[in-house]
Amino acid sequence: MPQHSRQDLAKPDLAKPDLAQQDPAQQELVKGDWRRFERWFIPGLIIVFCMVAFWLTTTFKTMPPILKRGIQPSDFPQLLLGLLVLLTLFMVWKDPIRVKERMHRSTWGTILLFVVFAATTAVDLFLALAIFAVAMAAYWGERRAPMLALVGLVIPVGIFFVFDQVFEIRFPRGLLTNLWYG
Amino acid sequence: MDPLINGLISLADPYLLSLLLIATIGGVVIGALPGLNATTGAALLLPFTLTMEPVPAIATMTAIYCSATFAGAITAILINTPGTAASATTCLDGYPLARRGEAGRALGMAVVSSTFGGIFSVLCLMLAAPLLARAAYNFSPPEYFALTLFGLSMLASIGDGSALKNLIAGGLGILIAMIGVDNLTSVERFTFGSYELYEGIGFVPVMIGVFGISELLVQSQQLHVKREAIRMKSVELPGRADYKKTWRTILRSSGIGTFIGILPAEGATVASMIGYNEAKRWSRNPEEFGKGAIEGVAGSEAANNAATGGAMVPTLALGIPGSATAAVILAGLMVHGLRPGPAMFTEQADFAYAIFWSMMLVNILFLIIGLRGAKIFARVTLIPVQVLWPSVFVFSIVGAYALDQSMFDVWVALGSGVIGYFMRRYGFSVVPLAIGLILGGMLEQRLGQSMVMLDEKWWLMFTRPLTLLFLVLTALALFGPAVWGRLVKRRAPLESSGE
């Protein structure tokens, strides 16, 4: 016979320490005002995005009745955008955004590395991948040279040859790929 | 009967067999690595399947799905960190068992119950999918529209976000699907005159971004987490006493998992939670749960693996993904030019049954691999994140590029990754975004077709019994939990006043 209600299900311990409890800076954050900023900023951003998208839908071509196939091209996106705005407003009231911890410096650094990666792809995609992989591994704390060589050399080169030889994918030409493509 | 046998015969291909073996091992490794899961694994693998025939391509993805779902239990038991979210409940009793020196017993039970749950669900899939497809064969656009809407409404209850945030994320996914040329009228929408946006945003780069690259950014916050595995001698097959104690739980959880899996968008995570909870409710020793009850491991693992077969039922029969990983597999089917839906069981029945049989085989394969190799795979969990995630990034970028050999897709993957990270940070799950992206085009197309069919009188949809049924189910999925919650709240004071 059932002996416990469904509410008895314990929340699994995901072994993720609560950073807000560990880091004094994070504790400060929870008390701080900026959380309120995010509560309004994100819904505001979504609503502005929806409004701009709605305005864009008004620029879509309108089909004559004989060609419109049930709905105009702008009808469905407009209906959806309206719903999104309503849901967002409802979210502000019923389920506001709460952020438990400050974004870590390592996350900002990794995003910055994405930007560096995007910039270096102009020179060569695989060179950019190799530089990114080594930089990221080092930034995340890896100091062993063989490991850095593995992520920066062996893996990108291995993947290049698997895709080039097995899947016959042609990568964009660049400083390094030109050496192979000739 | 022919497609059933033809599907089985297709497994005799040594190329397919070796691919399945490699994919099963790969899936176990992916599932054992904290942070990587079946969805990310399938998304990263998708570009590798491009040059394959449809059967090996999709069979490989389903192999990753089944084996990674099982392998989450390895880390859950040995390091108290679920390899996949679906194994979170396995931690509750698996880890205490491991700490008591019974890691081998816990893993043995996880392997056996996962295999049973998986095989049970594949048998249900073989039975239910063709029946569902037959029932859906005569659906008209209004029924399809309402069904797709129902599938999307189920997004409210999936993922780690709240219902409202899930719906917003799903809506954004549908909006992204609107980019490009409108299928019904050939009018350009949100293209800004860009050639790359003309054909719309591809599923694959977005999925690689939101599942792979966003997880990388999440992992960048957990660099300080130290993982230490508990040592064990070997995996033990459950003894007679364990079987006696757990067979009812395994059977019940397999049924629960399959049913939950069949519900559109509900996946292994929900299944394992309900499976675990029901195991506890029906147990003769519920007080042991959380302290190392073998039934807890069996209940959770049978349910999460049973959900894999269940999730493939609506995916193949209706074209509505049964889970996040099934959504990636659905994207894979589309990329390979296949049309999931009722027609699959008439026009591509051999393909469908080949997938069923391969899923069955994978469940047997990971029984062997799990029993023999869990000890080795447990070490995989100790791969430093500093090595793992840069490698995942390289795979992600090359995979995103490979589909159309376009750098634009690389930017889409990178952008989706960053957006996906911020969505997760602010409590929005990325799973609804991915499913919304897949179903968005379908939903609009079916609405347009319905309007043509009903002579633009949309209210006539409510006069069609099946359409009405799906719309009622949609309303229940959206508002049911809130209304139920309010009712329970109102009744609570009455009950307490009656004391």
Side-chain angles (χ1 to χ4, degrees), chain A residues 94-151:
Chain A
K94 272 291 199 192
D95 186 18
I97 288 172
R98 287 192 181 89
V99 182
K100 286 178 191 157
E101 55 180 279
R102 192 188 289 274
M103 244 176 92
H104 288 225
R105 200 185 296 163
S106 52
T107 310
W108 283 118
T110 309
I111 293 174
L112 192 69
L113 284 175
F114 285 174
V115 178
V116 176
F117 162 76
T120 41
T121 50
V123 182
D124 186 283
L125 175 64
F126 274 86
L127 181 68
L129 282 171
I131 291 172
F132 176 87
V134 171
M136 183 182 153
Y139 182 61
W140 282 23
E142 183 57 65
R143 293 289 176 267
R144 291 166 293 180
M147 289 298 181
L148 292 175
L150 178 74
V151 293

Side-chain angles (χ1 to χ4, degrees), chain B residues 40-265:
Chain B
T40 317
L44 290 176
L45 179 83
L46 184 49
F48 285 88
T49 65
L50 292 177
T51 52
M52 295 179 191
E53 291 291 312
V55 171
I58 305 302
T60 309
M61 290 175 78
T62 52
I64 295 274
Y65 185 19
C66 297
S67 52
T69 305
F70 146 70
I74 298 176
T75 46
I77 291 167
L78 295 178
I79 60 170
N80 199 26
T81 303
T84 62
S87 303
T89 44
T90 309
C91 286
L92 299 176
D93 288 286
Y95 188 65
L97 276 168
R99 289 191 65 175
R100 279 201 323 234
E102 295 178 73
R105 180 179 167 226
L107 271 171
M109 181 51 76
V111 175
V112 169
S113 46
S114 293
T115 304
F116 184 87
I119 290 175
F120 179 88
S121 74
V122 175
L123 287 174
C124 291
L125 170 66
M126 283 176 156
L127 204 72
L131 287 177
L132 192 61
R134 203 175 299 163
Y137 201 74
N138 294 322
F139 280 11
S140 301
E143 279 80 36
Y144 266 121
F145 167 72
L147 177 67
T148 313
L149 204 62
F150 170 58
L152 283 164
S153 71
M154 297 299 281
L155 293 177
S157 56
I158 63 161
D160 43 10
S162 72
L164 265 173
K165 287 173 186 151
N166 281 343
L167 288 174
I168 293 171
L172 289 174
I174 300 173
L175 197 66
I176 296 172
M178 304 288 107
I179 296 172
V181 171
D182 177 25
N183 285 335
L184 295 168
T185 55
S186 301
V187 168
E188 284 183 41
R189 298 186 297 185
F190 305 115
T191 58
F192 308 101
S194 158
Y195 169 74
E196 277 97 351
L197 288 173
Y198 191 79
E199 292 203 351
I201 303 272
F203 307 135
V204 181
V206 173
M207 288 195 173
I208 288 176
V210 297
F211 293 123
I213 296 175
S214 79
E215 184 62 36
L216 181 151
L217 292 170
V218 170
Q219 292 295 320
S220 72
Q221 296 180 184
Q222 294 169 13
L223 299 177
H224 60 282
V225 176
K226 295 261 183 289
R227 297 194 172 95
E228 228 172 279
I230 287 181
R231 288 177 181 215
M232 63 163 181
K233 282 178 188 167
S234 62
V235 180
E236 297 161 20
L237 270 173
R240 189 176 282 187
D242 279 347
Y243 279 125
K244 207 174 164 188
K245 210 173 178 182
T246 57
W247 71 269
R248 281 192 194 88
T249 301
I250 294 175
L251 207 59
R252 190 189 309 113
S253 282
S254 300
I256 290 169
T258 306
F259 176 72
I260 299 289
I262 289 173
L263 293 178

